[in-house]
Amino acid sequence: MRETVSKRDYYEVLGVERGADDAAIKKAYRKLAMKFHPDRAGDDATAEASFKEAKQAFEVLSDPDKRASYDRFGHQGVEGMGAGGRGAGPGFDPGDIFGDIFGDIFGRGRRGGGGQRVFRGADLRYDLSITLEQAVAGHSFEIRVPRTETCDTCDGSGAAEGSSPVDCTTCGGVGEVRVQQGLFTLQQTCPSCRGRGKTISDPCPRCAGGGRVRRTRTLSVKVPAGIDAGDRIRLAGEGEPGQSGGPSGDLYVVIDIKAHPIFERDGADLSCEVPISITRAALGGSVEVPTLGGSARIDIPNGTQTGKVFRLRGKGVSPVRGGAAGDLFCRVMIETPVNLTDEQKALLEQLDGTLTAGGERHSPKASSWVDGVKSFFKGLGGD
C-alpha cells in the first residue's frame, strides 16, 4: 500500500523529537490542544483541523504499540488499529488532560486511595461577643459549637449494622463519570453516588446513611490581649469533618466587642467624655478621670471651653500584634446646672449681670458671634 502523502509526520505535528519520552509528548499535546480547541478558537476551520491532527498524533505516540508500529512503518503501520491495543498508556488519555485543565470548574476533589474522591471539610464561623475589658486584658472562653461528626453507630460508613457500602454501578466506584461532547471529554461528579464512589442499600438508622450526625462540642478559646472587633481566631481542624478521609475544616472565631458605657475604641486609642461643672471650667482645677488601668487626673485650666480634648499618653490599648500602647483622649463637656433653688437662680442672675457688663472681656466668642450675625443681616439689606 502507498502511504498517504497528505498526512504530516506525527512527531512534527507535536513538535517533539523521535526519542521524546511520554511526559514530553503529553506536554506538547496539551499545549496544542489548549491552543486549537474549538472552545477557544471558535469557528476557525484551520484551528479545528490542527486540533484533530494533534489529537490523532497524540493517540498514536502515547500508545506504546501504536508508536512502535508507526516508527517502523509510518502512517500505514497504524491504519486500522483503531482504539484497540494497549490503550494510551498509564494516564495518557486526551480526556484526562482536559480533565486536569477544567476539572476545578466542576468542583472535583482530590483522589484518595482506591480512586475515591477526597474532600476537605467546610470551615465554620462562630461570633464571640466580649467586653472591652476582656479584649484589652485577654480572656479565656468556653464556647459551644454545633457541627457534624462521624456517626458512632456505623463508624461513618452510612450502612446499617451487618451491611456495608458497595461500589457505585454508575461510576465503578471512582466517583466520577465522563461526558462526551463532540471531541471534548469532561469528567463530572457521578450523579448516582454524588462523588462518594459508594452506594448504600441499607442505610444506618442513626444517620440515615449520611455517615455523620449533628452534635454540639464545647471548645476552649483563648482571646489574646489587645484583640479588636473583627479579628479572627483560627482553631485548626475544628470545622466540619472531611469526606472519604479528607481533612477537617477550620473554625474561625470572629470577635465582636460590646458597647462600653464610658469608653469608645479606635484601634489602639480610647476616648471618653468628662463632664465638669461650669464653675470648674471657669476657675480651673484638677479632675479625676477613669482609665482601664485605674484612675488618673487631668488639670483643667481656667476658662476651659466645652469640647476641649486632653490626651493621656499610653492609657489606651496595647495592640495584639505588638507595638506601643495607644492613648486616652478625654473630651470635656461642661454641664449646665439643673434643679436650681431660688437662691441659686438669684446668684446666677447676679453673676450674669456682671458678666454682661464686662462684654467681650468675659465672652469673646459670644461677642464675635454677635458681630458676625449683624454683618450677615447687613449684607442682606437689613438695618
Side-chain angles (χ1 to χ4, degrees), residues 149-165 196 199-213 215:
E149 295 185 358
T150 300
C151 176
D152 51 11
T153 301
C154 63
D155 291 329
S157 70
E161 186 177 359
S163 66
S164 60
R196 297 181 63 181
T199 57
I200 300 170
S201 58
D202 188 11
C204 168
R206 174 79 172 88
C207 63
R212 297 189 291 181
V213 293
R215 288 198 182 97

Side-chain angles (χ1 to χ4, degrees), residues 72-236:
R72 226 179 138 183
F73 304 108
H75 292 291
Q76 291 183 12
V78 292
E79 287 180 357
M81 294 186 68
R86 294 174 52 189
F92 275 72
D93 186 290
D96 288 339
I97 290 181
F98 287 110
D100 293 340
I101 299 171
F102 300 108
D104 290 341
I105 298 176
F106 301 98
R108 294 167 57 193
R110 64 181 180 86
R111 293 184 180 276
Q116 192 174 9
R117 293 171 63 196
V118 174
F119 293 93
R120 179 182 181 273
D123 293 333
L124 296 177
R125 168 177 173 148
Y126 184 94
D127 293 319
L128 180 61
S129 185
I130 64 177
T131 66
L132 178 61
E133 289 84 355
Q134 291 169 336
V136 171
H139 198 76
S140 292
F141 297 87
E142 284 194 346
I143 61 176
R144 291 174 57 81
V145 182
R147 72 170 193 176
T148 57
E149 295 185 358
T150 300
C151 176
D152 51 11
T153 301
C154 63
D155 291 329
S157 70
E161 186 177 359
S163 66
S164 60
V166 296
D167 286 346
C168 173
T169 57
T170 302
C171 63
V174 298
E176 292 178 342
V177 293
R178 291 187 177 183
V179 179
Q180 188 74 32
Q181 295 182 358
L183 298 174
F184 195 20
T185 301
L186 299 178
Q187 289 181 262
Q188 298 179 347
T189 300
C190 176
S192 299
C193 65
R194 298 182 180 179
R196 297 181 63 181
K198 301 286 184 180
T199 57
I200 300 170
S201 58
D202 188 11
C204 168
R206 174 79 172 88
C207 63
R212 297 189 291 181
V213 293
R214 197 76 173 171
R215 288 198 182 97
T216 298
R217 294 192 62 188
T218 300
L219 302 173
S220 178
V221 181
K222 182 173 178 59
V223 175
I227 200 166
D228 204 351
D231 287 347
R232 303 190 307 173
I233 300 173
R234 175 175 171 261
L235 300 182

